[in-house]
Amino acid sequence: MLWVKALHIVFVASWFAGLFYLPRIYVNLAMVAPGSGAERDRLLLMARKLLRFTTLLAVPALAFGLWLWLGYGIGRGSGWMHAKLAVVLLVIGYHHACAVMLRKFAAGGPARSHRWYRWFNELPVLLLLAAVVLVVVKPF
């Protein structure tokens, strides 16, 4: 079970690293000057590759997490585990929102300012903090 925990931590940390950097690429995309096609294309390529990689990392991260949850028994751990699973669902929603934003960028441009994307970039930090506190402190 310790190997599964270790793999879960590695994949989750890698997944979050991608989720930290992807919105930063969106900030840069929102700041691209009109007519800078090469720069825009390069940033879109980087974002596509990073999104694909983070999606590939999310699958084993979630699979090992499910394995751990089932290994401890469903319902065991009570409130903190259910709260952590709610945070995981929020992270999955954030990941999906990043994919939707990338499609919007590829279709024509930013719908929002670079400042909005800077704030959006801070959300995974709060989600990671919530997940770590729930796992370590187990307040419920």
Side-chain angles (χ1 to χ4, degrees), residues 111-128:
R112 304 178 191 273
S113 72
H114 68 91
R115 285 186 185 91
W116 188 91
Y117 291 107
R118 287 178 196 273
W119 282 103
F120 182 75
N121 189 30
E122 301 304 321
L123 190 56
V125 175
L126 299 175
L127 293 172
L128 180 62

Side-chain angles (χ1 to χ4, degrees), residues 70-82:
L70 292 175
Y72 285 124
I74 295 175
R76 196 165 173 203
S78 296
W80 73 268
M81 179 61 85
H82 292 95

Side-chain angles (χ1 to χ4, degrees), residues 120-140:
F120 182 75
N121 189 30
E122 301 304 321
L123 190 56
V125 175
L126 299 175
L127 293 172
L128 180 62
L129 179 64
V132 169
V133 166
L134 287 168
V135 170
V136 174
V137 178
K138 296 180 180 140
F140 304 108

Side-chain angles (χ1 to χ4, degrees), residues 14-125:
S14 301
W15 181 28
F16 266 94
L19 290 179
F20 290 155
Y21 191 61
L22 188 59
R24 184 64 203 163
I25 295 174
Y26 296 164
V27 170
N28 294 332
L29 271 166
M31 294 174 65
V32 168
S36 300
E39 181 182 5
R40 181 171 164 51
D41 291 343
R42 187 186 76 240
L43 288 169
L44 280 172
L45 178 65
M46 289 172 59
R48 281 188 194 105
K49 287 185 175 189
L50 185 57
L51 180 65
R52 187 177 315 124
F53 186 65
T54 56
T55 302
L56 289 173
L57 289 170
V59 172
L62 296 170
F64 287 127
L66 181 61
W67 189 354
L68 287 170
W69 186 41
L70 292 175
Y72 285 124
I74 295 175
R76 196 165 173 203
S78 296
W80 73 268
M81 179 61 85
H82 292 95
K84 180 190 169 208
L85 292 174
V87 171
V88 169
L89 288 175
L90 290 173
V91 174
I92 292 169
Y94 183 85
H95 188 124
H96 177 72
C98 286
V100 169
M101 286 178 197
L102 180 56
R103 284 194 295 270
K104 287 182 181 177
F105 271 115
R112 304 178 191 273
S113 72
H114 68 91
R115 285 186 185 91
W116 188 91
Y117 291 107
R118 287 178 196 273
W119 282 103
F120 182 75
N121 189 30
E122 301 304 321
L123 190 56
V125 175

